[in-house]
C-alpha cells in the first residue's frame, strides 16, 4: 500500500537552529566518548595526570608518587583509604633522603582517615577545566548570546571526599588538655588528614577541594545520636613546621583545620565553606600552638571563623600549654551566629600575643570575641587588633565572663581567668545593632582594655543601649558612638593609644620557595 504523500515546508529558522543544537550535542558526545568520558569515567593516562608543574612550599621534595600508583580510583564511590595509607607508608622511607610528595590528580577520591609522615607534602591538583567551544553557522552570526551557551566546561578537579562508612573512622583518645571529646564524653573520631609528632609537613595544592560531606554528621549531632566527638578535616598534633595552603575545604563534620600542641605553622590562601547553620564548623582553630601565621583566608562558617584555644578547665590548666605568637592577616569572614575571631572559650592554658590586622567581616555576630568563665583559669592577654572593616554586625566588641560550658563537674569555680591588655584600633563598622557588650567577672574584672579610632554606624533598628559594660576597665579615644564610662575617654586627638606592635615574630621569617613536581612512575 502506498503511503500518502504529504507536502513538507522548508525548515524554518527556528528548526534550523534546533537542528544545529542537536548536532552540537552529538558532536560533544562523540568527542567525550573519544576521551573516555568525565565525572567518574576513565580518562586516558596522559589526561589523567600532569607530567610536571611548579608550586610554592616551605620545603621542596626529592621523591614523589601519585595516589594512582597505589591503586586509588577517583570515581567518587570507591574507597581509597587503604591506598592513601599505603602511599604514605611507602613514602615514609624518604624522610631522611630529601622527603617526598604524594600527588592527587583530578578526580573524586573517597577516603577515610589517614595519617601523614614527616618531610612530606600532600598535593591536591588544581582545577583543570577542559574547554569545548563549538561554532554553529546558522545561529551564531545572528545570536551571539546563544553561542555563548555552547561553551561547554567539563571540570576535572581533585576532590577528597569524606568516607561515610563509620568503620573507616578509628576512635582515638581525647586531647589531654580537654579531658574528653568536645561533643561527647570519651574518645573522638580521627580526623580525615591526621598526624602526630611530625616535622616539616605541607598540605597544599592549587585550590583542590577537601569535602567533609558533613550533613549526616550534623544531623546526628543535632539529634543527640553521636556517642563520640565528630572528626575534623585536618588535625596535626605535637608537630613542628607545618604549611596548609591553597585549598578549598567544604562541609566539615566539625572544625576544619586544627593544629594542636604544635609550632611554626603557616596557613595561607585557604577557602572554607559550610552552611551558616551547620554546628561547630569552625574555620581555623590554633590550639596550644606557638608561632602561627594565618593569612589571606576566606571563611563562611556555622561557627567562629578563627577560634584560638588552649584547653578546657582543669585539664587545660594542668596541661599548661598556651597559644602564643599568633598572627592573623587579611581574613574575610561570614558567620551570622558567631565571631570573626574568638579567643576561647577553651583558654585554660592561656592565650597571649595575638596580632590581627586587615580583617573584613560581613553579616557576622561579632568582631573579636573573648569567651571565658569561672573555672577556666588561664589568661587572655596582649591582644592587638587593627584595621577591621565590618558590615552588618550584632556586636563589634564582645567579651563575656559567663560563657559557662564545662567538661564535667570537677572544675574549680575559684579558678578565675585573667583578661588584660586588650587593644582595638582603626575600625570601621556599619549596620551594627549594638556597639559593645563587655561583661567581666565580679571580683575578677577585665582590665587594660583600649579602644581607639573606631567609627560605628548603627543599623536601622539598633539597641537602645549601645555600650553595656560591667566589671571592666580601660581607656578609649576617638570612638563613635561614645563608649561607656568604664572606658575613660582620652579625647579624639589622642591617637597614641592602643599601639600595635612593630617588632617581627619568628613566624614572619618563614617563607615559601618555588618547588617543582615531576611525575615518577613506580
Amino acid at each position: 500500500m502506498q503511503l500518502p504523500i504529504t507536502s513538507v515546508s522548508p525548515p524554518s529558522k527556528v528548526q534550523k537552529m534546533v537542528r544545529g543544537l542537536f548536532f552540537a550535542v552529538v558532536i560533544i558526545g562523540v568527542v567525550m566518548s573519544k576521551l573516555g568520558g568525565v565525572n567518574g569515567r576513565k580518562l586516558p593516562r596522559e589526561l589523567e595526570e600532569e607530567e610536571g608543574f611548579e608550586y610554592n612550599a616551605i620545603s621542596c621534595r626529592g621523591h614523589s608518587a601519585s595516589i594512582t600508583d597505589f591503586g586509588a580510583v577517583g570515581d567518587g564511590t570507591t574507597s581509597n583509604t587503604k591506598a592513601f595509607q599505603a602511599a604514605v607508608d611507602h613514602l615514609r622511607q624518604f624522610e631522611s633522603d630529601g622527603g617526598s610528595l604524594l600527588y592527587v590528580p583530578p578526580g573524586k577520591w573517597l577516603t577515610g582517615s589517614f595519617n601523614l609522615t614527616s618531610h612530606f607534602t600532600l598535593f591536591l591538583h588544581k582545577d583543570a577545566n577542559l574547554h569545548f567551544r563549538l561554532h554553529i553557522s546558522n545561529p551564531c552570526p545572528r545570536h551571539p548570546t546563544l553561542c555563548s551557551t555552547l561553551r561547554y566546561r567539563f571540570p576535572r578537579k581533585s576532590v577528597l571526599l569524606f568516607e561515610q562508612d563509620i568503620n573507616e573512622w578509628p576512635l582515638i583518645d581525647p586531647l589531654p588538655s580537654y579531658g574528653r571529646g568536645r561533643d561527647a564524653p570519651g574518645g573522638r573520631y580521627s580526623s580525615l588528614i591526621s598526624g602526630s609528632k611530625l616535622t616539616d609537613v605541607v598540605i597544599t595544592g592549587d585550590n583542590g577541594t577537601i569535602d567533609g560531606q558533613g550533613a549526616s554528621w550534623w544531623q546526628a549531632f543535632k539529634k543527640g545520636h553521636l556517642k563520640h566527638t565528630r572528626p575534623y578535616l585536618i588535625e596535626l598534633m605535637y608537630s613542628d613546621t607545618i604549611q596548609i595552603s591553597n585549598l578549598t575545604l567544604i562541609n566539615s563534620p566539625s572544625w576544619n583545620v586544627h593544629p594542636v600542641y604544635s609550632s611554626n605553622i603557616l596557613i595561607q590562601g585557604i577557602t572554607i565553606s559550610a552552611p551558616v547553620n551547620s554546628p561547630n564548623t569552625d574555620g581555623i582553630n590554633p590550639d596550644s600552638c606557638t608561632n602561627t601565621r594565618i593569612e589571606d583566608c576566606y571563611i563562611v562558617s556555622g561557627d567562629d571563623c578563627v577560634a584560638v584555644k588552649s584547653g578546657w578547665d582543669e585539664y587545660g590548666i594542668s596541661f599548661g600549654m598556651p597559644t602564643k605568637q599568633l598572627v592573623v592577616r587579611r581574613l574575610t569572614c561570614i558567620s551570622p551566629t558567631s565571631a570573626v575571631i574568638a579567643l576561647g572559650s577553651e583558654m585554660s592554658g592561656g592565650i597571649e600575643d595575638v596580632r590581627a590586622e586587615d580583617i573584613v567581616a560581613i553579616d557576622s555576630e561579632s568582631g573579636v570575641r573573648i569567651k571565658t568563665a569561672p573555672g577556666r583559669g588561664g589568661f587572655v592577654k596582649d591582644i592587638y587588633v587593627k584595621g577591621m572593616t565590618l558590615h552588618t554586625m550584632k556586636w563589634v566588641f564582645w567579651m563575656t565572663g559567663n560563657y559557662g560550658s564545662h567538661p564535667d563537674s570537677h572544675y574549680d569555680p575559684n579558678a578565675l581567668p585573667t583578661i588584660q591588655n586588650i587593644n582595638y584600633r582603626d575600625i570601621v563598622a556599619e549596620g551594627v545593632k549594638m556597639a559593645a557588650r563587655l561583661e567581666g567577672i565580679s571580683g575578677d574584672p577585665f582590665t587594660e582594655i583600649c579602644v581607639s579610632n573606631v567609627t560605628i554606624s548603627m543599623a536601622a533598628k539598633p539597641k537602645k543601649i549601645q555600650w553595656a559594660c560591667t566589671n571592666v576597665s580601660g581607656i578609649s579615644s576617638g570612638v563613635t558612638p561614645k563608649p561607656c564610662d568604664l572606658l575613660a575617654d582620652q579625647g579624639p586627638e589622642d591617637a597614641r593609644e592602643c599601639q600595635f606592635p612593630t617588632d617581627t615574630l619568628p613566624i614572619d621569617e618563614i617563607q615559601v620557595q618555588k618547588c617543582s613536581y615531576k611525575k615518577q612512575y613506580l
Side-chain angles (χ1 to χ4, degrees):
M1 182 174 65
Q2 187 177 5
L3 294 176
I5 298 175
T6 58
S7 60
V8 179
S9 302
S12 65
K13 291 182 179 180
V14 172
Q15 288 173 320
K16 290 180 180 179
M17 186 173 66
V18 171
R19 289 181 184 178
L21 290 172
F22 172 78
F23 285 116
V25 173
V26 171
I27 292 170
I28 290 172
V30 171
V31 172
M32 296 313 300
S33 67
K34 294 294 185 182
L35 289 176
V38 293
N39 296 333
R41 295 177 62 186
K42 183 68 175 176
L43 291 168
R45 188 178 185 93
E46 63 269 20
L47 289 178
E48 189 177 78
E49 301 184 17
E50 288 190 6
E51 292 300 313
F53 53 82
E54 293 184 333
Y55 64 100
N56 293 320
I58 54 177
S59 300
C60 301
R61 307 304 182 194
H63 304 269
S64 62
S66 169
I67 191 60
T68 58
D69 296 329
F70 299 88
V73 180
D75 59 4
T77 58
T78 302
S79 175
N80 296 295
T81 308
K82 292 181 179 179
F84 273 98
Q85 198 58 65
V88 175
D89 292 343
H90 172 81
L91 294 171
R92 185 172 287 113
Q93 65 182 300
F94 302 115
E95 283 185 355
S96 59
D97 183 26
S100 59
L101 179 147
L102 178 61
Y103 172 70
V104 182
K108 294 183 177 180
W109 308 91
L110 186 67
T111 180
S113 176
F114 62 95
N115 293 308
L116 305 184
T117 189
S118 293
H119 305 291
F120 176 84
T121 296
L122 177 67
F123 187 96
L124 273 66
H125 188 276
K126 64 182 179 180
D127 290 353
N129 298 316
L130 301 181
H131 296 265
F132 291 83
R133 182 175 181 178
L134 300 178
H135 297 276
I136 303 174
S137 59
N138 281 332
C140 277
R142 300 180 184 178
H143 303 278
T145 302
L146 176 62
C147 280
S148 68
T149 66
L150 299 178
R151 295 171 187 166
Y152 290 86
R153 293 165 60 87
F154 295 91
R156 295 168 59 233
K157 188 172 188 175
S158 177
V159 181
L160 285 187
L161 294 172
F162 236 103
E163 171 64 69
Q164 298 298 290
D165 182 357
I166 201 71
N167 294 318
E168 296 272 12
W169 300 99
L171 286 174
I172 59 176
D173 292 336
L175 293 168
S177 60
Y178 284 70
R180 50 159 280 175
R182 194 61 186 84
D183 292 341
R188 56 203 186 101
Y189 292 106
S190 179
S191 299
L192 175 62
I193 300 173
S194 302
S196 182
K197 300 179 181 178
L198 305 180
T199 301
D200 182 19
V201 175
V202 177
I203 305 171
T204 190
D206 194 355
N207 204 33
T209 297
I210 301 175
D211 184 352
Q213 302 195 95
S216 61
W217 293 93
W218 305 331
Q219 293 171 8
F221 172 76
K222 289 178 179 179
K223 293 178 180 178
H225 292 171
L226 288 177
K227 296 181 180 179
H228 307 286
T229 293
R230 288 165 287 165
Y232 309 143
L233 288 189
I234 300 173
E235 181 180 72
L236 298 177
M237 303 170 56
Y238 301 106
S239 296
D240 180 73
T241 312
I242 297 166
Q243 175 188 342
I244 303 171
S245 64
N246 301 325
L247 296 170
T248 296
L249 312 180
I250 62 175
N251 299 326
S252 177
S254 185
W255 302 350
N256 281 266
V257 179
H258 185 224
V260 56
Y261 316 141
S262 296
S263 58
N264 301 314
I265 304 157
L266 179 61
I267 301 175
Q268 291 180 315
I270 298 293
T271 297
I272 295 175
S273 179
V276 294
N277 62 350
S278 55
N280 310 116
T281 50
D282 298 38
I284 302 169
N285 290 13
D287 196 343
S288 294
C289 289
T290 299
N291 210 29
T292 303
R293 188 165 108 218
I294 300 169
E295 58 189 12
D296 301 304
C297 293
Y298 175 87
I299 302 173
V300 180
S301 170
D303 211 317
D304 304 318
C305 289
V306 172
V308 186
K309 301 179 180 294
S310 66
W312 202 2
D313 285 7
E314 69 269 28
Y315 304 103
I317 294 172
S318 176
F319 197 77
M321 182 178 288
T323 289
K324 58 184 180 181
Q325 297 178 323
L326 168 65
V327 175
V328 182
R329 297 192 184 107
R330 299 181 298 278
L331 169 71
T332 299
C333 169
I334 299 176
S335 183
T337 60
S338 294
V340 179
I341 300 174
L343 306 172
S345 72
E346 305 91 342
M347 40 63 66
S348 301
I351 297 172
E352 66 177 312
D353 198 358
V354 176
R355 309 175 183 192
E357 57 183 320
D358 298 331
I359 309 298
V360 174
I362 304 167
D363 191 20
S364 297
E365 187 177 59
S366 57
V368 177
R369 183 182 179 190
I370 297 175
K371 301 185 288 185
T372 188
R376 289 289 193 270
F379 52 83
V380 177
K381 63 182 181 180
D382 303 334
I383 309 300
Y384 307 96
V385 180
K386 75 170 182 177
M388 296 185 76
T389 302
L390 310 175
H391 306 270
T392 314
M393 308 291 291
K394 191 171 183 179
W395 296 285
V396 175
F397 308 107
W398 190 7
M399 304 178 189
T400 179
N402 58 0
Y403 193 75
S405 175
H406 300 285
D408 52 39
S409 61
H410 303 305
Y411 69 93
D412 178 6
N414 295 316
L416 300 178
T418 297
I419 311 299
Q420 69 180 49
N421 194 25
I422 313 298
N423 301 270
Y424 305 106
R425 65 169 300 126
D426 306 337
I427 296 173
V428 176
E430 61 180 17
V432 175
K433 290 187 176 181
M434 185 174 181
R437 180 178 169 184
L438 310 180
E439 306 165 324
I441 299 172
S442 178
D444 182 35
F446 299 173
T447 63
E448 299 178 46
I449 299 169
C450 184
V451 184
S452 177
N453 190 29
V454 174
T455 301
I456 301 172
S457 300
M458 310 315 298
K461 296 181 179 180
K463 299 287 187 180
K464 291 182 179 180
I465 299 176
Q466 285 305 307
W467 288 78
C469 305
T470 55
N471 298 304
V472 298
S473 65
I475 60 174
S476 63
S477 63
V479 178
T480 304
K482 187 178 183 298
C484 55
D485 292 339
L486 293 178
L487 301 181
D489 189 355
Q490 306 300 296
E493 68 283 351
D494 194 345
R496 295 170 297 173
E497 307 298 342
C498 316
Q499 290 298 306
F500 197 88
T502 57
D503 63 318
T504 300
L505 292 177
I507 189 62
D508 282 317
E509 303 299 323
I510 296 179
Q511 302 297 325
V512 298
Q513 58 185 302
K514 187 72 70 176
C515 300
S516 60
Y517 164 83
K518 178 68 175 177
K519 174 62 183 154
Q520 299 177 6
Y521 297 98
L522 296 181

